[in-house]
Amino acid sequence: MRFRAVLLATALTVLPATVLTVLPAAPAAAANILANPGFESGLNGWTCPSDAQAVSAPVHGGARALRATPQGSDFARCQQVVTVRPGTTYQLSAWVQGDYVFLGATGTGVSASTWGAPGGQWGQLKTSFTTGAGVTSVTIHLNGWYGQGPYLADDVVLDGPGGTPDTQAPTTPGNLTVGGATSSSLSLSWNASTDDVGVTRYEVSRDNAAPVAVTGTSHQATGLAAATTYRFKVRACDAAGNCSPYGSEASGTTTAGGGGGGGLPKRVLVGYLHASFANGSGYVRMSDVPDAWDVINLAFGEPTSVTSGDIRFRQCPAAECPNVESEADFIAAIRAKQATGKKVLISIGGQNGQVQLTTAAARDKFVESVGAIIDRYGLDGLDIDFEGHSLHLDPGDTNLASPTTPVVVNLIAALKRLKSRYGARFTLTMAPETFFVQLGYQFYGPGPNGAADSRAASYLPVIHAMRDDLTLLHVQDYNSGPIRGLDDQYHTMGGHDFHVAMTDMLLAGFPIMGDAANRFPPLRQDQVAIGLPASVNAGNGFTTVAEVQKALDCLTKGSNCGTYRPRGVYPDLRGLMAWSINWDRFNGTEFSRSHRAYLDRLG
């Protein structure tokens, strides 16, 4: 959670490395269905960033090559959409130069990626993929890595048969019905399109928002607000992307009650208070925390050793924080905040607090020691901010609902015991990084070949197991590498599209590693907040007030959206989290003042 650089090595561990062959220059000779593969016609046929160009030297073959330079958090991706045939294997290659160069293909069921670091001489990258049934197009891409200098590419080859465009749309499905109401869900069903043999998916739109794709003729709309009426419509689409007109709308109303929320207001600001350390932002006494913050997470409780499970919390030492209050004043200030409706939690972990509950003894000690902290200070609950190597998934641990890795199983058991101990008043929040959550769309643990990072998406089984007891999940939308969204495009931190894409994954759900049979179900809207740095000093990926509120407009109203269109409109999105209250004060309270006012207007 504390500021730290994103390590390129960590980002690369989730990509299986491919051998880079460095050979003398030779012309590409394979069959090729790419347009302008050698960039002889400039950038025609390719979509590239504005500073990309076709250069005359150095080249691998012909007269030109691609040169592009990553800028800031952008990694200078050039890409081309290609028509392909279903059920066909394709070979993809390119000649490249540069410190880090990536080559890959994405599409429905297709995710091929390789990389290399050939430096100043030409080296060839190679990978392959097989299209699934009904797949008629893929996107081929080349890119560098931010902060790593320019890259060159030439003689890109996609070897395989081209496809024949299909422009005939299916017929419109009929007889949409909505029923099965609960306080947070509705059940939909409809008649299949009359030419259902050509249909690969149905798309369900709620309240005219961007549609959700489903494979059958029924859909469970989840994450809805209680006692609210929703309108739905459905269309049929084929593999070529041709979609029928939407059929007639049908509406349904959720029942009253439900929703949870731990006694919090409808919109919340969550902030971390540097209670046990100072890091340049200045110490803030509990009594001086502005009223704008609804949830105050005390950072941090940390273990006596990585595997002990024994969590300790102490106030910042006076030598480090000269203005620290006495423990009695600290506890009195907590009571005063709680009297006004605020929640005060102990946050466990952080960047330096690695917690691995590898044994039953560590699990039990975790429950005992965390309970002792909650009781000593009269806290409302617990925030889990496990980072680094606290969680991972063992090989073969692939079932979201039935994890087997000890550090995951023991954490779930410990949280359930704490929830049982404190009952309905217990507030539980989590602040994982995108690497541990949204990356699960592509990678889950070490993966089928054991080549990926075992920590990838390892928070998902914990979130899933605790979803009925979870008050808030506020994923850290910062200190993150590029993450692939539900649009199968990579999104980078710092702009509104990143927050929309990452939040949409939590509220629409997603198949883990693309497996529809192992799906992370959507959370309720009231369980989700967006995690952000409070200032440019607080973490990589700072997002301006205007961009944050643009993301909130898109998610809660369906307006002011950028290139990413969410799968639904989420009017009950809970709010925002910030690292941290201290960094916000250091920055003149811009975050809390601006976003508190926005959330209050949102209602």
Side-chain angles (χ1 to χ4, degrees), residues 87-278:
T88 304
T89 298
Y90 290 83
Q91 304 296 324
L92 176 63
S93 64
W95 290 88
V96 298
Q97 287 189 31
D99 292 336
Y100 290 96
V101 192
F102 293 76
L103 172 70
T106 59
T108 303
V110 173
S111 181
S113 183
T114 185
W115 62 277
Q121 57 184 326
W122 289 105
Q124 191 177 36
L125 294 173
K126 292 182 178 182
T127 188
S128 64
F129 60 89
T130 301
T131 55
V135 175
T136 58
S137 69
V138 296
T139 300
I140 305 301
H141 65 261
L142 287 152
N143 59 264
W145 194 261
Y146 51 82
Q148 298 300 313
Y151 71 92
L152 290 147
D154 201 0
D155 295 332
V156 189
V157 174
L158 182 60
D159 184 6
T164 302
D166 173 13
T167 59
Q168 180 67 43
T171 58
T172 302
N175 195 31
L176 173 63
T177 59
V178 182
T182 72
S183 62
S184 61
S185 66
L186 291 165
S187 299
L188 285 66
S189 63
W190 56 89
N191 292 340
S193 170
T194 55
D195 57 352
D196 189 51
V197 66
V199 173
T200 57
R201 70 184 186 279
Y202 292 93
E203 293 189 344
V204 181
S205 173
R206 188 180 82 206
D207 295 334
N208 292 318
V212 174
V214 298
T215 54
T217 56
S218 63
H219 174 61
Q220 187 81 2
T222 58
L224 308 180
T228 302
T229 298
Y230 294 91
R231 296 175 294 111
F232 300 91
K233 56 186 179 181
V234 181
R235 65 184 180 184
C237 302
D238 63 18
N242 303 305
C243 295
S244 72
Y246 282 108
S248 299
E249 282 190 343
S251 63
T253 302
T254 52
T255 60
L264 292 169
K266 183 177 180 180
R267 311 289 183 191
V268 298
L269 281 185
V270 180
Y272 286 78
L273 183 68
H274 306 180
S276 64
F277 64 94

Side-chain angles (χ1 to χ4, degrees), residues 18 21 36 41 82 187 193 267 290 310 358 376 403 414 461 464 504 507 521 533 555:
T18 299
T21 307
N36 190 25
S41 300
V82 187
S187 299
S193 170
R267 311 289 183 191
D310 188 4
T358 56
R376 181 182 183 91
H464 183 64
D504 190 38
L507 295 174
L555 289 163

Side-chain angles (χ1 to χ4, degrees), residues 2 272-273 275-277 297-304 309-314 345-355 366 369-370 373 379 382-386:
R2 301 182 202 173
Y272 286 78
L273 183 68
S276 64
F277 64 94
N297 289 334
L298 304 180
F300 288 104
E302 298 182 357
T304 55
D310 188 4
I311 307 300
R312 303 295 177 89
F313 170 77
R314 64 166 190 167
L345 316 180
I346 179 64
S347 181
I348 306 299
Q351 179 183 335
N352 297 331
Q354 307 292 302
V355 181
F366 181 88
S369 58
V370 170
I373 295 170
L379 304 178
L382 172 65
D383 172 71
I384 297 295
D385 183 22
F386 285 12

Side-chain angles (χ1 to χ4, degrees), residues 251-562:
S251 63
T253 302
T254 52
T255 60
L264 292 169
K266 183 177 180 180
R267 311 289 183 191
V268 298
L269 281 185
V270 180
Y272 286 78
L273 183 68
H274 306 180
S276 64
F277 64 94
N279 65 351
S281 60
Y283 184 80
V284 177
R285 292 186 174 206
M286 174 62 69
S287 60
D288 293 331
V289 173
D291 288 339
W293 302 99
D294 302 293
V295 180
I296 304 164
N297 289 334
L298 304 180
F300 288 104
E302 298 182 357
T304 55
S305 68
V306 172
T307 59
S308 70
D310 188 4
I311 307 300
R312 303 295 177 89
F313 170 77
R314 64 166 190 167
Q315 288 179 258
C316 186
E320 189 176 353
C321 302
N323 60 324
V324 65
E325 67 269 55
S326 68
E327 183 179 71
D329 287 346
F330 183 65
I331 293 173
I334 290 173
R335 299 290 181 276
K337 293 295 180 186
Q338 292 168 325
T340 64
K342 311 302 183 185
K343 302 290 184 182
V344 184
L345 316 180
I346 179 64
S347 181
I348 306 299
Q351 179 183 335
N352 297 331
Q354 307 292 302
V355 181
Q356 296 176 359
L357 303 183
T358 56
T359 64
R363 174 201 65 200
D364 295 345
K365 191 63 178 179
F366 181 88
V367 174
E368 174 194 333
S369 58
V370 170
I373 295 170
I374 292 173
D375 294 344
R376 181 182 183 91
Y377 295 95
L379 304 178
D380 296 287
L382 172 65
D383 172 71
I384 297 295
D385 183 22
F386 285 12
E387 300 183 17
H389 291 268
S390 292
L391 293 177
H392 71 275
L393 293 167
D394 289 339
D397 189 354
T398 59
N399 189 328
L400 175 72
S402 302
T404 57
T405 306
V407 292
V408 171
V409 173
N410 288 330
L411 176 59
I412 292 169
L415 295 178
K416 286 186 177 294
R417 285 170 59 180
L418 285 165
K419 170 65 178 180
S420 177
R421 174 174 175 175
Y422 292 102
R425 73 180 182 89
F426 186 70
T427 301
L428 175 64
T429 67
M430 299 183 189
E433 297 165 292
T434 57
F435 180 89
F436 296 101
V437 181
Q438 288 92 340
L439 188 65
Y441 186 48
Q442 288 182 273
F443 303 98
Y444 191 65
N449 60 4
D453 193 318
S454 64
R455 299 170 298 161
S458 56
Y459 245 98
L460 287 181
V462 180
I463 297 168
H464 183 64
M466 300 305 300
R467 63 174 55 239
D468 291 338
D469 299 312
L470 180 64
T471 309
L472 282 173
L473 175 70
H474 29 68
V475 174
Q476 300 176 37
D477 282 4
Y478 52 97
N479 292 342
S480 170
I483 300 291
R484 186 173 168 187
L486 296 180
D487 58 350
D488 288 324
Q489 302 298 313
Y490 286 90
H491 298 271
T492 55
M493 59 185 182
H496 68 279
D497 259 1
F498 185 73
H499 304 301
V500 173
M502 296 302 98
T503 306
D504 190 38
M505 295 180 77
L506 304 175
L507 295 174
F510 57 88
I512 296 173
M513 291 196 301
D515 181 4
N518 194 26
R519 182 177 179 83
F520 177 76
L523 293 167
R524 297 193 316 267
Q525 296 176 36
D526 66 276
Q527 289 178 298
V528 176
I530 301 172
L532 301 155
S535 75
V536 294
N537 309 92
N540 282 327
F542 174 74
T543 309
T544 65
V545 168
E547 285 290 290
V548 172
Q549 294 181 4
K550 187 175 180 181
L552 290 170
D553 282 346
C554 180
L555 289 163
T556 62
K557 305 173 187 177
S559 62
N560 214 13
C561 295

